[in-house]
Amino acid sequence: MWIITTIALGFLIGVLVSAPMGPVGVLCVRRTLHRGRREGLITGVGAMISDLLYAAASYKGITMVLDFIYRYEFFLQILGSLVVLAFGIHMYFSLPSYDVVDDGKSKSAWKLMTSAFFFALGNPLIAFVYMAFYSRYNFVPDTPTLGWHFVIAMLSIALGAISWWFVITYLVLRLKENVSVGGLRIFNKILALVFIGISLVGLAMCLIKFT
């Protein structure tokens, strides 16, 4: 009985954590529009792997998560800001289109997944989101161990996250015909400036905090 409950709750948590349309969600949507659904799904997989690391750490308890975040806080904040900055600059100067056929400049699946992984890894606060859901649904046993419950829990969370990205990429392609190329270019530039602004503020705050 506990297996069914764990799978159901894990699936739900995976969906709920992935659902907010933050920078990773925008990256997934953009790649789906520009390159195709396969690239969008690969992006979702990269983000899911990053989130799963925080999910696994959160499973073992608040102490481990806090120690990890405090120990690498400066590195994670700098990394996240630089990734967002690079993405914003690239987005601003890119020319979006609906041509999703890969060319010589297309990134490999490994590069797409890796970039999404580090993009999501720059948000360590996701660990607190997992802990909140764990507490809300009483998801973790009183004495958590790296046993079958842990394995099933992590696989269920991963399945929920992948299912969410699967649905999102499908809906994006279904609605693609209603979005003009000109409108997409304007949206890209505005969004790029927002990303650049957020990254610069984040870098400045990080340097001020740790100096």
Side-chain angles (χ1 to χ4, degrees):
M1 183 64 182
W2 67 267
I3 295 179
I4 298 177
T5 302
T6 301
I7 292 175
L9 289 177
F11 184 90
L12 177 62
I13 291 173
V15 172
L16 292 176
V17 172
S18 303
M21 190 55 64
V24 176
V26 174
L27 180 63
C28 178
V29 170
R30 184 171 183 272
R31 285 180 174 173
T32 301
L33 284 172
H34 295 180
R35 298 176 179 271
R37 192 180 183 191
R38 172 180 172 272
E39 283 72 8
L41 283 174
I42 291 173
T43 300
V45 171
M48 178 273 295
I49 295 174
S50 174
D51 288 349
L52 206 59
L53 291 179
Y54 287 118
S58 302
Y59 184 96
K60 291 299 293 179
I62 296 177
T63 302
M64 178 183 292
V65 176
L66 291 180
D67 288 344
F68 175 80
I69 291 176
Y70 290 150
R71 182 177 301 178
Y72 300 104
E73 181 179 9
F74 178 77
F75 171 77
L76 290 173
Q77 289 184 2
I78 291 293
L79 175 64
S81 296
L82 290 177
V83 170
V84 174
L85 176 61
F87 176 66
I89 294 174
H90 171 74
M91 182 188 297
Y92 185 86
F93 290 103
S94 65
L95 296 176
S97 68
Y98 288 146
D99 182 10
V100 298
V101 178
D102 285 345
D103 53 25
K105 297 182 180 179
S106 295
K107 294 182 180 179
S108 66
W110 175 252
K111 289 183 179 180
L112 289 170
M113 187 183 302
T114 302
S115 62
F117 172 83
F118 284 107
F119 204 84
L121 191 66
N123 180 27
L125 294 180
I126 197 70
F128 293 101
V129 177
Y130 276 110
M131 285 190 288
F133 283 126
Y134 289 171
S135 176
R136 170 65 178 81
Y137 296 111
N138 194 24
F139 187 66
V140 181
D142 294 334
T143 55
T145 59
L146 296 179
W148 281 111
H149 187 279
F150 172 79
V151 173
I152 294 174
M154 294 302 105
L155 290 177
S156 301
I157 290 175
L159 179 61
I162 291 299
S163 299
W164 171 257
W165 296 120
F166 185 88
V167 171
I168 284 298
T169 53
Y170 171 79
L171 292 177
V172 167
L173 287 185
R174 293 288 294 180
L175 298 174
K176 178 180 175 180
E177 290 76 10
N178 297 325
V179 182
S180 67
V181 174
L184 184 61
R185 289 178 179 175
I186 295 176
F187 171 78
N188 269 7
K189 288 188 178 297
I190 294 176
L191 195 61
L193 292 175
V194 172
F195 279 176
I196 291 173
I198 292 175
S199 65
L200 293 177
V201 171
L203 284 172
M205 293 181 64
C206 186
L207 293 175
I208 293 174
K209 180 178 179 180
F210 291 96
T211 55

